[in-house]
Amino acid sequence: MPLLDELNPAPGLQRRQLLSAAAFLSLTLPVPGLAAEEAVGSVDAARFIRPAQMTGAALSPDGQRLALRTTGPHGRWMLSVLQLDTMKPTVVYSSDGADVGRFLWVNAERLVFDVQDRETPEGRLDAGPGLFAVDHDGGRFRQLVERQRVLARNGNDSQNLQAWNTFLLHGDTQRRGDEVLVVRPEAFSDKELGHFKLLRLNTVTGRSTEVASPLHAQSWWFDAAGNLRLLRTLEAPAAAAGERPPAPRGRYLWREVGSDAWRPIAEFNPITGEGDFRVRHLGADGKLYVSARRLGADKMACWLLDPATGQWSEAPLAEHAQFDIDAEVIARQDRVLGLRFNIDAEVTQWMDADMQALQAQVDKVLPRTANRLSVPWSGDAPWVLIEASADIQPTLYFLYNRQTRKYTRLGSERPDVEAKQMASMDLHRLKARDGLELPAWLTLPKGKSLADKPRLPLVVLIHGGPWVRGPAWVWDPYVQFLAARGYAVLQPQFRGTLGLGFKHERASWKQWGQAMQDDISDATRWAIEQGVADPARIALMGASYGGYSALMGLVREPALYRCAVAWVGVTDLNLLYSVSWSDTSDAIKQHGMPLLLGDPVKDAAMLRAQSPLSHAAAIRHPLLLAYGEKDRRVPLIHGEAFRKALQGAPGRAPDSLEWQVYADEGHGWRAPANDIDFWNRSARFLDRHLSASP
């Protein structure tokens, strides 16, 4: 399926400069393409699981330069700046020992960024992200935050380095001066609520000054002049002697310019979300752009709130009948341009007529992708950054000049992927047995059609969380790999999946292994009824909660599924409360999980009945289980206890269990070799058990 094969190039010398810059920035490592003629059973996961080549871009506030994060010759993500009037690129940071992580423009001349080691397993990570700053030409490089508890020796004045646990606050650097906002946790751990220190950090001198704010502030919003105006606080009231601590409480606090007094404008329950909303932008006029459920609505919408008067807009700025709207606000220095949000795919609702017309023009040129447009924050520079993506197309990066009306292709997230070889994913809507609507993504192997009723082997891929947004209309290397191996892939958005309204979310409370599991079975039967799936060749597959659900599917519906692949999966619901080395906070264990999952005392029988471990002896299906040795979200004891119970089950074939533990890995695989090994191992397992009907 062709996308944008040829664009109007700039003439003559300018064209040669553009192509030279694009070649430099878009691809520095040779990668073989995905061969269309490759036999299905021989497709290797390494073809899909590869480092991205171009992973981000951002226009400078004045639109004169473009910062890009790309893979360097050493295989690490580096940071470059493209001078747009000359199309000359300059590498401003590159290292063979670290990858550039988050990067932002401090002002029109200077960038700030942190680093990561994206390939080191969690158990071997020994450094924080640090923080660094550099000018657009590579000058005035400075380390601002140490990466380890021992100060790095890098030529800076070590006394000026901030402690390793100092982090960039958010994406709004206020785009003037040399300062950024950073936060440092104080009296804080992953087990209890604490407080944060808010600092202004000068990226040239490395010096910081504290910004005064109430003790329990967790989020901060500043106005265009740099005044701190809004806070979100979260605190745990003290417990009486011998009693369980009460539930935490949250508030939004507002203050007027020139005042030291903070005034509450809203209170909320941070466990249930009751009364809460999400602040997305503080406008130049002092109005708040918020995502909220109002007036008894089931779906979240985008609203305007005047914190000075407490008045809400008469109608939402953006809403949808089937999806929650949680909008990112796109703004220039003087006004809001539009709202960007996800429904089934990402869309932009422009409030500016010129931008709406520009979007229509770009969409006409790139009709088969979702096209994200970014423009300068200030000034009249003509440049527009375009990020184009689709289910069959990893992100492509383009520049468009509004004066010359010329497009320049910068590069691609995955230049080795050919869209015409990829499998499309489509959203279907079906009904659960109790009438609840269940969206489900279906991906068929290239060349297969729902109308043909292909009766394929089916992988039911269950997302983790479970209270997270499900997959969207984007290119997914793992789904594409399964499709390339000949499998249909079904991804049900079972109850509890966020973004589908409060009714859908609320229907999941205390329903692990019950109605949530019924949703997976109902979606599977839908695929059989549609002629997609061969009813004798269906596998369950998932990680974390998805791994739990894959195992419970075998317990609840032993005749519906033939085998399962579960990685980093929960096997005993009581272990979620009792294991002390889990990363779950005490507040969530004491107040959130009893409400959402079940009370460990009052609901003890239910938790035991809905734990795969309680039923392990009855499972006869082939299983592939994988865990990370250093996982703190779902510690290895979950897998070890389940494996022991399986091995002790009478009548179970000794070769029906495959067991894999990845050394030093946590809740998922960071090392590429481990990721590739797991997915190839999974494909071989599926091939062995789903290759033919019994």
Side-chain angles (χ1 to χ4, degrees):
M1 185 177 295
L3 290 164
L4 186 61
D5 296 325
E6 293 187 10
L7 295 167
N8 296 325
L13 176 62
Q14 185 180 3
R15 181 190 182 196
R16 289 194 295 273
Q17 291 172 331
L18 296 182
L19 294 176
S20 175
F24 173 81
L25 292 166
S26 66
L27 180 60
T28 53
L29 292 178
V31 288
L34 302 175
E37 67 279 2
E38 188 171 11
V40 167
S42 66
V43 176
D44 193 282
R47 289 292 186 92
F48 292 87
I49 303 171
R50 292 183 181 276
Q53 297 299 299
M54 181 173 287
T55 62
L59 286 166
S60 62
D62 62 357
Q64 301 299 321
R65 303 175 182 91
L66 183 72
L68 300 111
R69 186 179 59 196
T70 58
T71 297
H74 38 56
R76 296 286 192 171
W77 289 347
M78 65 182 187
L79 186 61
S80 304
V81 174
L82 187 64
Q83 186 71 33
L84 296 181
D85 58 351
T86 63
M87 288 293 167
K88 178 183 177 182
T90 300
V91 177
V92 297
Y93 180 83
S94 179
S95 169
D96 60 4
D99 300 283
V100 171
R102 192 178 184 187
F103 63 97
L104 300 166
W105 286 96
V106 180
N107 51 50
E109 306 288 328
R110 193 159 175 78
L111 290 143
V112 66
F113 63 94
D114 58 23
V115 298
Q116 57 181 291
D117 188 343
R118 57 188 170 84
E119 298 182 357
T120 297
E122 185 175 318
R124 295 210 303 266
L125 291 175
D126 62 354
L131 195 64
F132 305 83
V134 66
D135 285 351
H136 68 90
D137 58 2
R140 294 196 300 173
F141 174 83
R142 186 178 189 95
Q143 183 175 355
L144 304 167
V145 174
E146 60 182 347
R147 294 200 64 202
Q148 297 174 311
R149 295 178 187 272
V150 178
L151 292 176
R153 300 181 181 275
N154 65 348
N156 283 320
D157 179 358
S158 63
Q159 299 303 312
N160 285 342
L161 284 181
Q162 302 293 317
W164 70 273
N165 60 335
T166 304
F167 309 102
L168 199 60
L169 176 58
H170 51 54
D172 181 10
T173 60
Q174 302 185 46
R175 305 176 185 87
R176 62 178 182 279
D178 294 320
E179 293 181 336
V180 294
L181 295 163
V182 297
V183 291
R184 181 181 304 143
E186 302 281 343
F188 179 89
S189 75
D190 60 6
K191 297 297 182 185
E192 60 184 14
L193 294 173
H195 62 276
F196 295 83
K197 181 178 289 187
L198 177 64
L199 304 166
R200 293 186 189 274
L201 176 60
N202 189 296
T203 63
V204 175
T205 68
R207 297 187 179 91
S208 65
T209 56
E210 185 172 357
V211 179
S213 69
L215 180 64
H216 299 291
Q218 304 277 319
S219 302
W220 303 261
W221 290 268
F222 293 76
D223 63 19
N227 301 306
L228 180 59
R229 302 290 299 280
L230 179 68
L231 304 166
R232 186 180 191 268
T233 67
L234 199 63
E235 60 181 302
E243 294 186 4
R244 189 175 78 168
R249 63 189 181 202
R251 296 192 298 170
Y252 285 95
L253 304 179
W254 173 262
R255 72 174 174 184
E256 302 296 337
V257 176
S259 172
D260 292 329
W262 290 97
R263 175 174 58 85
I265 60 172
E267 297 187 359
F268 62 92
N269 183 327
I271 299 297
T272 65
E274 183 179 2
D276 199 3
F277 50 80
R278 300 174 186 175
V279 178
R280 290 309 189 192
H281 182 68
L282 173 54
D285 59 358
K287 302 282 183 67
L288 302 177
Y289 290 75
V290 303
S291 299
R293 293 186 175 93
R294 299 202 66 238
L295 309 175
D298 178 59
K299 303 296 191 294
M300 186 179 293
C302 181
W303 298 80
L304 267 182
L305 170 61
D306 187 342
T309 64
Q311 293 296 310
W312 292 75
S313 54
E314 293 185 4
L317 302 177
E319 62 181 341
H320 197 280
Q322 296 173 318
F323 296 94
D324 288 328
I325 299 300
D326 185 16
E328 171 194 352
V329 176
I330 308 165
R332 278 178 59 89
Q333 182 177 16
D334 55 346
R335 67 189 186 280
V336 168
L337 298 177
L339 306 171
R340 181 170 289 141
F341 48 86
N342 279 296
I343 44 176
D344 52 347
E346 183 181 276
V347 298
T348 304
Q349 178 178 304
W350 294 108
M351 303 160 69
D352 179 271
D354 288 343
M355 289 302 302
Q356 187 174 8
L358 178 61
Q359 182 79 57
Q361 175 187 334
V362 172
D363 289 347
K364 187 175 181 179
V365 175
L366 296 165
R368 295 172 179 162
T369 50
N371 303 310
R372 171 185 285 208
L373 310 185
S374 301
V375 294
W377 185 70
S378 63
D380 58 0
W383 298 101
V384 180
L385 172 66
I386 304 170
E387 299 168 74
S389 61
D391 57 339
I392 60 171
Q393 176 60 66
T395 304
L396 300 166
Y397 294 87
F398 300 93
L399 274 175
Y400 175 67
N401 188 308
R402 300 181 75 171
Q403 291 177 352
T404 64
R405 306 190 69 174
K406 305 300 182 183
Y407 289 85
T408 304
R409 178 166 173 163
L410 295 169
S412 173
E413 178 186 4
R414 287 288 304 274
D416 59 312
V417 171
E418 293 186 30
K420 63 184 179 181
Q421 297 176 10
M422 299 294 106
S424 299
M425 60 187 295
D426 295 302
L427 187 65
H428 299 269
R429 296 186 176 275
L430 49 131
K431 293 286 187 180
R433 63 192 66 181
D434 63 357
L436 186 71
E437 186 175 79
L438 297 177
W441 288 104
L442 177 64
T443 303
L444 299 179
K446 182 69 177 174
K448 301 296 183 180
S449 167
L450 185 62
D452 297 334
K453 298 186 181 301
R455 299 287 180 186
L456 296 165
L458 175 71
V459 174
V460 183
L461 186 60
I462 310 167
H463 71 69
W467 296 289
V468 298
R469 286 195 78 118
W473 190 69
V474 295
W475 187 83
D476 184 317
Y478 306 110
V479 172
Q480 292 291 341
F481 170 61
L482 291 173
R485 296 282 299 208
Y487 295 101
V489 181
L490 182 67
Q491 297 173 275
Q493 306 306 282
F494 51 86
R495 66 194 65 206
T497 303
L498 299 186
L500 300 170
F502 184 68
K503 178 183 177 183
H504 197 277
E505 178 184 344
R506 176 66 178 83
S508 69
W509 293 6
K510 293 190 178 182
Q511 291 300 312
W512 281 44
Q514 300 178 80
M516 295 170 75
Q517 198 64 45
D518 290 341
D519 291 346
I520 303 299
S521 299
D522 292 344
T524 303
R525 289 192 170 93
W526 171 87
I528 295 172
E529 293 166 1
Q530 299 300 309
V532 170
D534 178 345
R537 296 190 292 162
I538 302 175
L540 290 162
M541 189 172 188
S544 195
Y545 171 82
Y548 161 87
S549 182
L551 298 176
M552 282 303 295
L554 302 183
V555 173
R556 290 283 305 273
E557 300 274 7
L560 187 58
Y561 304 106
R562 193 161 174 185
C563 61
V565 177
W567 71 106
V568 297
V570 173
T571 66
D572 184 349
L573 300 186
N574 284 295
L575 283 176
L576 296 177
Y577 292 95
S578 61
V579 173
S580 61
W581 59 91
S582 166
D583 64 356
T584 305
S585 72
D586 291 339
I588 293 297
K589 283 186 178 181
Q590 293 168 357
H591 301 287
M593 287 168 53
L595 177 69
L596 301 176
L597 183 63
D599 187 281
V601 177
K602 298 177 182 177
D603 300 313
M606 180 189 74
L607 295 177
R608 187 166 50 253
Q610 303 309 327
S611 293
L613 182 62
S614 301
H615 308 279
I619 296 176
R620 298 290 183 268
H621 303 74
L623 277 169
L624 169 57
L625 301 177
Y627 285 86
E629 180 189 32
K630 301 297 177 63
D631 192 348
R632 294 181 66 234
R633 181 66 49 85
V634 179
L636 181 58
I637 188 175
H638 280 267
E640 291 177 330
F642 193 74
R643 181 193 187 198
K644 182 177 180 181
L646 285 173
Q647 291 175 328
R652 183 175 177 86
D655 60 349
S656 62
L657 172 64
E658 293 190 32
W659 170 259
Q660 178 66 30
V661 176
Y662 291 104
D664 294 319
E665 289 284 14
H667 198 60
W669 325 133
R670 288 175 56 89
N674 291 339
D675 205 16
I676 292 168
D677 175 81
F678 170 76
W679 284 92
N680 278 331
R681 189 182 296 267
S682 297
R684 292 192 297 269
F685 174 88
L686 294 171
D687 289 349
R688 187 159 56 252
H689 298 291
L690 300 184
S691 60
S693 298

